[in-house]
């Protein structure tokens, strides 16, 4: 499976390419790229039919890190990433495909800064985890 990278179009402005500004005047649909961290990949492993969670390391060519259990998370990850993956394994919905999204945070607050952008919600998030899915494989 190949990892799909989504480019931040606004970054092109920093290189002198102002075409991203044309999108503000164009007809059509506009989407938002959420800037969470880490990237979370989850779903049904086509090799064995089991539910899994992971980071983009599920796409590694040499050491693939797919976690079907809390024990595998402990073997493959440490620190904050392991804590996040444990919460994801316990709380993400089991789906037939494979989904990639950005981890925003653990519930209980209304303000989150998972990477470089701060997100402020209108109310306290009561869900256990906050993930912004963006790609279905």
């Amino acid at each position: 499976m190949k990892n799909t990278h989504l480019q931040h179009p606004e970054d092109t402005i920093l290189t002198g390419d102002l075409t991203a500004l044309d999108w503000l005047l164009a007809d059509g649909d506009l989407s938002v790229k959420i800037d969470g961290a880490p990237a979370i990949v989850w779903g049904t492993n086509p090799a064995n039919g089991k539910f899994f969670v992971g980071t983009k390391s599920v796409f590694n060519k040499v050491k693939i890190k797919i976690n079907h259990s809390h024990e595998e998370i402990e073997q493959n990850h440490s620190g904050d990433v392991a804590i996040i993956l444990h919460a994801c394994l316990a709380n993400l919905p089991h789906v037939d495909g494979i989904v990639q999204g950005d981890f925003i945070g653990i519930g209980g607050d209304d303000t989150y800064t998972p990477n470089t952008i701060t997100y402020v919600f209108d109310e306290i998030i009561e869900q256990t985890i906050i993930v912004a899915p963006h790609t279905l494989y």
Side-chain angles (χ1 to χ4, degrees):
M1 173 175 27
K2 184 177 183 245
N3 185 15
T4 302
H5 176 73
L6 298 176
Q7 195 65 24
H8 289 256
E10 67 276 11
D11 290 347
T12 62
I13 294 169
L14 300 174
T15 64
D17 178 358
L18 302 180
T19 56
L21 298 175
D22 295 338
W23 296 345
L24 299 174
L25 303 173
D27 289 331
D29 296 326
L30 185 66
S31 66
V32 176
K33 182 176 192 266
I34 303 297
D35 193 30
I40 302 294
V41 181
W42 76 94
T44 301
N45 185 341
N48 61 18
K50 293 180 181 179
F51 180 74
F52 76 94
V53 298
T55 64
K56 287 192 278 186
S57 62
V58 303
F59 300 113
N60 285 351
K61 292 182 179 175
V62 178
K63 183 166 174 144
I64 299 169
K65 296 181 181 180
I66 296 178
N67 308 290
H68 302 93
S69 67
H70 292 286
E71 293 77 23
E72 288 179 341
I73 292 170
E74 289 299 315
Q75 292 169 6
N76 291 326
H77 304 278
S78 61
D80 289 343
V81 172
I83 292 167
I84 289 167
L85 289 174
H86 282 296
C88 288
L89 184 65
N91 293 284
L92 283 171
H94 291 223
V95 296
D96 289 332
I98 297 173
V99 181
Q100 182 173 340
D102 287 342
F103 184 80
I104 304 301
I106 300 290
D109 202 347
D110 66 347
T111 305
Y112 296 87
T113 308
N115 201 354
T116 59
I117 298 173
T118 297
Y119 301 97
V120 179
F121 295 89
D122 291 337
E123 55 192 40
I124 301 292
I125 303 298
E126 295 182 13
Q127 286 74 14
T128 305
I129 60 171
I130 308 158
V131 176
H134 57 68
T135 305
L136 178 63
Y137 295 95

